[in-house]
């Protein structure tokens, strides 16, 4: 009786193993696309390849065609980014000008001492013509003739004079 049980157990183990093998084969077969699906994918990829080859021929011939919509989009994006850059530059210059009120050295020397790099103006960095050429001198309040304005004390303009660190 024990021999029958061991024979049956062995047969069950063999059948389970063959069942696992057949299940894995069935899963592999069901995961692959059918002939119709493969034909559709092939047709789609062929169309995409033709489009890309035409695009490549156009680019390799040296004539790059940019649509009006793409050009307009790029121009608008650049305009927007330049506007933001100018705003940030203006804010930074306003802050620097406030610091320069009580600073005994020039703007260039302040920038070099603060960051170790020269300022953008000395690098002649610009993104086109600036509409604010004399902005710094026009907005910078004069502290000459202001009574009671000494380093570390607020001036009549409401800004503090900064002293040079020792």
């Amino acid at each position: 009786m024990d021999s029958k049980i061991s024979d049956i157990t062995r047969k069950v183990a063999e059948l389970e193993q063959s069942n696992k093998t057949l299940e894995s084969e069935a899963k592999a077969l069901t995961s692959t696309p059918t002939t119709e699906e493969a034909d559709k994918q092939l047709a789609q990829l062929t169309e995409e390849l033709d489009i890309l080859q035409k695009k490549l021929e156009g680019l390799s011939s040296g004539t790059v065609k940019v649509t009006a919509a793409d050009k307009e989009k790029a121009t608008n994006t650049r305009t927007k980014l330049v506007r933001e850059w100018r705003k940030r530059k203006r804010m930074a210059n306003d802050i620097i000008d406030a610091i320069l009120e009580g600073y005994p050295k020039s703007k260039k020397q302040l920038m070099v001492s603060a960051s170790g790099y020269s300022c953008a103006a000395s690098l002649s960095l610009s993104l086109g013509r600036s509409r604010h050429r004399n902005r710094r001198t026009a907005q910078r309040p004069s502290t000459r003739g202001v009574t009671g304005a000494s380093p570390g004390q607020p001036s009549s303009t409401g800004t503090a004079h900064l002293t040079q660190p020792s």
Side-chain angles (χ1 to χ4, degrees):
M1 180 121 146
D2 286 337
S3 65
K4 282 186 177 181
I5 292 175
S6 64
D7 284 342
I8 292 174
T9 306
R10 187 178 43 80
K11 285 181 182 179
V12 167
E14 288 175 5
L15 290 174
E16 285 178 349
Q17 183 64 29
S18 67
N19 187 22
K20 285 181 184 179
T21 305
L22 291 174
E23 283 179 355
S24 66
E25 286 179 20
K27 189 181 269 187
L29 289 174
T30 56
S31 66
T32 58
T34 63
T35 305
E36 293 173 358
E37 292 173 347
D39 287 341
K40 287 180 184 177
Q41 286 179 351
L42 179 63
Q44 180 183 4
L45 290 174
T46 305
E47 288 176 18
E48 191 175 328
L49 178 66
D50 290 339
I51 291 170
L52 291 174
Q53 283 179 339
K54 287 178 184 176
K55 197 179 231 184
L56 177 64
E57 288 172 10
L59 292 173
S60 63
S61 68
T63 57
V64 179
K65 297 177 183 176
V66 178
T67 63
D70 288 343
K71 183 178 179 182
E72 182 71 24
K73 183 179 176 183
T75 304
N76 289 340
T77 302
R78 182 190 180 278
T79 304
K80 180 181 174 185
L81 293 175
V82 167
R83 188 180 318 122
E84 291 297 319
W85 176 76
R86 285 185 177 144
K87 280 183 191 177
R88 290 184 182 116
K89 183 179 176 185
R90 188 178 322 124
M91 287 189 289
N93 281 334
D94 289 345
I95 292 169
I96 290 169
D97 289 341
I99 293 170
L100 282 173
E101 279 185 21
Y103 196 73
K105 296 181 182 178
S106 70
K107 181 177 181 177
K108 185 175 181 180
Q109 290 171 336
L110 171 68
M111 296 301 287
V112 170
S113 68
S115 65
Y117 299 104
S118 59
C119 62
S122 67
L123 295 173
S124 66
L125 176 69
S126 73
L127 291 176
R129 184 172 267 220
S130 175
R131 290 177 277 187
H132 309 288
R133 288 186 182 227
N134 293 324
R135 189 174 196 294
R136 185 179 75 218
T137 57
Q139 288 187 349
R140 190 167 160 188
S142 173
T143 56
R144 291 186 184 150
V146 176
T147 58
S150 61
Q153 297 286 329
S155 67
S156 61
T157 60
T159 58
H161 291 278
L162 300 177
T163 58
Q164 181 180 6
S166 320

